[in-house]
Amino acid sequence: MKSAYFAAFLAATAVPALAEQPVTLNFVAEIGGAAFDCSQSYDHLGATHAQMNVTDFRLFVQDAALIRADGSQQPITLTANDWQHENVTLLDFENGAGHCAGTGNAPMNTVITGEVPEGDYIGVSLTLGVPFALNHIDPTLASAPLNTTGMFWTWQNGFRFLRIDFAPAGGTPMAHEGHGGHSDHGNASGWYLHLGSTQCAAASQTEAPSACVFPNRTTASFTSFDPATQVIVVDPAPVLRDADVTVNAPDTSPGCMSFPGDADCDSVIPKLGLAYGDHPAEAQQLFSIR
Ligand SMILES: [Cu+2]
């Protein structure tokens, strides 16, 4: 009697094996609607329609998910590889050639790959960021892609979630050169768009923080998206539309690096979907679908 009850209990609680279906999210990088290429220059950037080279173009995406018709989200179980670890993917659109020879490297990745339970999905959601639990680690000891030192900021702040670096085309010098608190920038000869967590309180510079005042993770959701036929476009031009990328605010990081009190960020961070100082968040304009 007791064993029969136990067998029935087991049968009732056995989880049927759900078939999985592979999913690939394809990304394309563009600058003002033109395909991104390290060897190109791009016109009409920012409020002054500047001509700029792009010298780096990489970003971390966490928590990629497909959306069901009822609005619920199915996290994508990522394929573990050199570009993906747990729930984070590094997208790398630069090939280390041309204008990207300074900070870039040859490998590239333009996809998120993984699987979801078989089902009907109508949309996609993703977050620009590195999860807190993975963000404040030692990159020299971390698994790929979190060993990408070109994306590492400081222990305290963690990784740059987004790194898109601009330099004036034709060698035109920047009007002001920033005097940021970073030790890793060398000559500030460009306008750098870096998003990451800021004001992360820690006991010391080499200890992980317990929290950040400004996590600066931003989510994009598209409720009608077919991974088989559509792409996710990453384009910083709409984000920079109202910024002058030919000047750096004096005594701040060169360009906009998310740190509080940098006038170069006033019109930029809100267009990433995040509040900045007394500038409220706007709809994010970095990601779109096509
Ligand atoms: Cu920086």
Side-chain angles (χ1 to χ4, degrees):
M1 185 67 188
K2 191 174 182 180
S3 62
Y5 174 83
F6 187 61
F9 174 80
L10 278 182
T13 56
V15 177
L18 284 174
E20 298 285 317
Q21 66 186 52
V23 56
T24 298
L25 303 179
N26 292 292
F27 292 78
V28 295
E30 298 185 346
I31 306 289
F36 168 65
D37 185 316
C38 287
S39 64
Q40 298 291 311
S41 298
Y42 296 90
D43 293 326
H44 307 300
L45 275 168
T48 61
H49 303 276
Q51 186 183 29
M52 307 290 280
N53 301 329
V54 180
T55 62
D56 206 328
F57 197 142
R58 289 179 272 186
L59 57 146
F60 283 106
V61 171
Q62 66 177 80
D63 297 332
L66 298 186
I67 302 174
R68 299 184 187 85
D70 66 3
S72 64
Q73 293 195 6
Q74 173 60 54
I76 299 171
T77 301
L78 300 181
T79 307
N81 58 37
D82 282 352
W83 299 103
Q84 306 191 132
H85 178 72
E86 295 186 10
N87 58 336
V88 64
T89 303
L90 175 62
L91 297 174
D92 183 335
F93 298 110
E94 57 74 31
N95 61 4
H99 305 303
C100 304
T103 55
N105 52 22
M108 301 172 73
N109 178 49
T110 62
V111 295
I112 293 177
T113 57
E115 57 184 26
V116 291
E118 277 186 359
D120 293 325
Y121 303 99
I122 61 160
V124 67
S125 175
L126 50 89
T127 295
L128 180 62
V130 173
F132 184 84
L134 297 173
N135 196 29
H136 304 277
I137 58 175
D138 182 345
T140 63
L141 303 175
S143 306
L146 297 171
N147 59 356
T148 306
T149 51
M151 294 298 282
F152 193 67
W153 229 350
T154 63
W155 197 307
Q156 213 164 335
N157 292 312
F159 288 88
R160 301 175 175 95
F161 303 155
L162 174 68
R163 176 174 194 167
I164 306 179
D165 292 348
F166 298 87
T172 312
M174 298 292 290
H176 286 279
E177 300 211 331
H179 306 280
H182 295 25
S183 58
D184 61 337
H185 285 294
N187 56 335
S189 54
W191 202 101
Y192 307 134
L193 175 58
H194 295 173
L195 183 71
S197 297
T198 62
Q199 297 197 356
C200 304
S204 78
Q205 293 272 341
T206 54
E207 283 175 76
S210 53
C212 300
V213 177
F214 300 105
N216 285 342
R217 292 181 184 84
T218 184
T219 296
S221 293
F222 301 97
T223 52
S224 180
F225 179 78
D226 180 357
T229 59
Q230 291 182 276
V231 297
I232 299 170
V233 180
V234 188
D235 189 339
V239 175
L240 301 178
R241 189 183 59 222
D242 297 325
D244 184 347
V245 296
T246 66
V247 298
N248 283 312
D251 301 318
T252 65
S253 303
C256 170
M257 297 202 184
S258 321
F259 297 101
D262 185 346
D264 293 324
C265 288
D266 284 350
S267 74
V268 173
I269 300 287
K271 292 184 181 63
L272 293 171
L274 297 162
Y276 182 78
D278 54 7
H279 301 268
E282 302 169 25
Q284 75 78 24
Q285 297 181 43
L286 181 68
F287 298 101
S288 60
I289 57 171
R290 185 169 67 214

